[in-house]
Amino acid sequence: MPRIAGIDVPDKKKILFALQYIHGIGPKFAAEILAEAKVSPDARANEVGEHELAQINTIIDATYLVEGALRRQVQQNIQRLKDVRSYRGDRHRRGLPVRGQRTKSNARTRKGKKKTVAGKKGVKAKA
C-alpha cells in the first residue's frame, strides 16, 4: 500500500479515488493534485512511481490542510463558537442540529435515541 500524507491508501484503486481516502481531500482537490503532479488519474495507486508519490506528498504538505491538522482546526472552530456563546455554539453544546433543520419530527441522528417522557394521566370525570 502506498503511503500518501502519512496515510495508507488502497493500492488496487485508481489514484484519483485512492487520494480521496485522505481526510480533507475530495474529488476536486484530488484532480487538482494529480494535474499539478502530472500523474494520470487513471493509473492504479500501486503503479505510481516513488518519484511521483514524493511529488504528490510534497504538493499535499505545501498546499492542503489534511488529517490531524484539519480535524484539530475544525474542533478549535467549534470550541470558539461555544466559548463566545453564539447560537451555533449553543446548538453544538446541546447536541442539536446546527444549520437550521427542523427538530420536531426529525433530527434523530443529532438528538440520539428517543427519550420517552411519561404522558399525563387521564383525568377521571366525576359522575
Side-chain angles (χ1 to χ4, degrees), residues 23 64-76:
H23 182 75
Y64 300 98
L65 199 60
V66 293
E67 285 301 323
L70 178 61
R71 292 177 205 273
R72 194 166 27 260
Q73 186 184 47
V74 168
Q75 281 306 311
Q76 286 172 345

Side-chain angles (χ1 to χ4, degrees), residues 1 62 79 120:
M1 278 190 161
Q79 191 58 48
K120 189 175 179 184

